[in-house]
Amino acid sequence: MSSSSLLSQAPLIHAVAQVQFSELPSFEEGELEALHRGLMGIRFPERVNSHFEQHILALPANGAPADQPSHQRLSRYVFKAPGQQQLVEVRRDRILLKVTDYAGHHAFFDLWQKVMETVFAALPHLRQALLHRFSLRYIDLVVPKPVERLTQLVSGALLPPPLQELQGDSLFGTSVKVIRTAPNQHLRVAFEELLPMEKRLTKVLPDDLAEHDPRCGISINAQAHWQEIEGPYGLLDIEHVYTAHDTPSLATVDMKNRLEALYQPARAAFDSVITDAARTSWA
């Protein structure tokens, strides 16, 4: 995770801000049209009506037989900006802002503020919803250049254990650390060590961020050295989450300040797991 003003070849490929809240009533088409008009005014003109599947598994209690798993087909509304590198997603219980052209946290937070003001204006009852969670997430694709190795770019503490005593070729490795940073806040740092296939990337986003509706995807600008990869590369996933146990109404929450509070530890985590060689390479 990095600001492009500091690292011109920054490995950051995806940033996500998300607020989750108590479920709203189903949206009326007039509300969605007002939301679309408002988001067009801040350069999100393309509307995509989509859905996602929510699977529910009920655990048995007191020896009772388990219920059959069920699933729901739920609506989501995606609004995309020109260039296919920014989108806003609205559901009945959350709002997300996703970008792949991150230009620093100040610009990102200002954009979030504009999005939320626009959504509040179109959906005024959202102000009465209760805050559940607020999160900030950064995905960095760490691809060594031809003269580099992954071990030169990230801390050895981040890399999965090599387990050299085991026979065979390494295919995949992962490490995860979760840290409580403050009351009701936790920071998750995850890293996947991946191998290319035929010198090509095999994965660029965590599984839960992979978009299954091609209409709702956004583009990632590839760097030149991604075209032919000789050895392992890495996927760094840093997420900082605030859980609102007191569930205040959204009208009382200063979201920009909340984002700032989540950003600083996330940035510090990024700085702590990359090397001086990486900073030089990405400058």
Side-chain angles (χ1 to χ4, degrees):
M1 182 198 69
S2 43
S3 170
S4 59
S5 63
L6 298 177
L7 299 174
S8 62
Q9 299 180 58
L12 178 65
I13 60 167
H14 205 80
V16 185
Q18 178 175 193
V19 60
Q20 295 175 245
F21 42 82
S22 55
E23 188 171 289
L24 298 173
S26 297
F27 298 128
E28 301 289 342
E29 180 57 30
E31 294 175 316
L32 293 171
E33 290 181 359
L35 178 60
H36 190 189
R37 282 193 294 270
L39 289 172
M40 288 182 71
I42 58 170
R43 302 187 72 249
F44 289 91
E46 182 181 357
R47 171 180 163 182
V48 179
N49 295 347
S50 186
H51 70 276
F52 65 98
E53 301 286 342
Q54 183 178 68
H55 297 274
I56 301 171
L57 178 63
L59 298 177
N62 301 323
D67 294 334
Q68 289 295 319
S70 61
H71 72 277
Q72 294 177 296
R73 184 181 173 95
L74 302 174
S75 296
R76 61 175 180 151
Y77 304 93
V78 173
F79 303 87
K80 302 173 76 173
Q84 304 293 307
Q85 291 187 299
Q86 299 179 354
L87 68 77
V88 175
E89 181 174 331
V90 178
R91 306 182 193 175
R92 289 172 59 188
D93 66 348
R94 71 194 63 196
I95 296 167
L96 303 93
L97 172 64
K98 299 180 180 182
V99 306
T100 58
D101 61 350
Y102 189 81
H105 72 284
H106 292 300
F108 185 58
F109 296 172
D110 287 345
L111 179 58
W112 171 264
Q113 191 76 6
K114 290 179 182 178
V115 167
M116 290 308 303
E117 289 171 357
T118 301
V119 177
F120 278 136
L123 306 173
H125 54 290
L126 176 61
R127 295 182 181 276
Q128 280 70 56
L130 305 182
L131 176 65
H132 287 176
R133 282 164 54 102
F134 205 80
S135 63
L136 185 61
R137 187 173 182 183
Y138 293 99
I139 309 299
D140 290 273
L141 189 64
V142 184
V143 180
K145 296 174 183 175
V147 296
E148 299 171 339
R149 297 191 308 274
L150 183 61
T151 53
Q152 297 174 305
L153 303 177
V154 298
S155 165
L158 188 65
L159 293 167
L163 300 180
Q164 294 172 342
E165 65 275 10
L166 298 180
Q167 298 295 318
D169 298 325
S170 176
L171 298 176
F172 171 84
T174 184
S175 66
V176 181
K177 184 76 171 182
V178 180
I179 302 165
R180 186 166 68 111
T181 56
N184 306 328
Q185 283 186 190
H186 71 268
L187 177 72
R188 180 181 60 84
V189 180
F191 188 80
E192 294 183 47
E193 183 181 12
L194 302 159
L195 285 180
M197 181 177 293
E198 298 180 351
K199 298 185 178 183
R200 301 290 183 181
L201 297 171
T202 53
K203 182 178 182 179
V204 296
L205 288 174
D207 293 337
D208 67 309
L209 287 180
E211 181 54 66
H212 301 291
D213 185 341
R215 301 173 302 158
C216 299
I218 48 178
S219 300
I220 295 171
N221 288 331
Q223 297 189 25
H225 67 281
W226 295 2
Q227 301 305 313
E228 192 167 308
I229 306 167
E230 296 293 339
Y233 69 97
L235 195 59
L236 175 60
D237 181 357
I238 298 176
E239 183 178 32
H240 202 186
V241 179
Y242 169 74
T243 303
H245 293 300
D246 56 343
T247 60
S249 66
L250 291 187
T252 67
V253 177
D254 187 331
M255 293 192 187
K256 193 170 182 180
N257 281 347
R258 179 55 60 191
L259 275 177
E260 289 282 357
L262 293 177
Y263 169 75
Q264 295 300 338
R267 176 60 195 254
F270 173 80
D271 287 336
S272 73
V273 298
I274 66 169
T275 65
D276 289 339
R279 293 181 181 87
T280 300
S281 178
W282 302 335

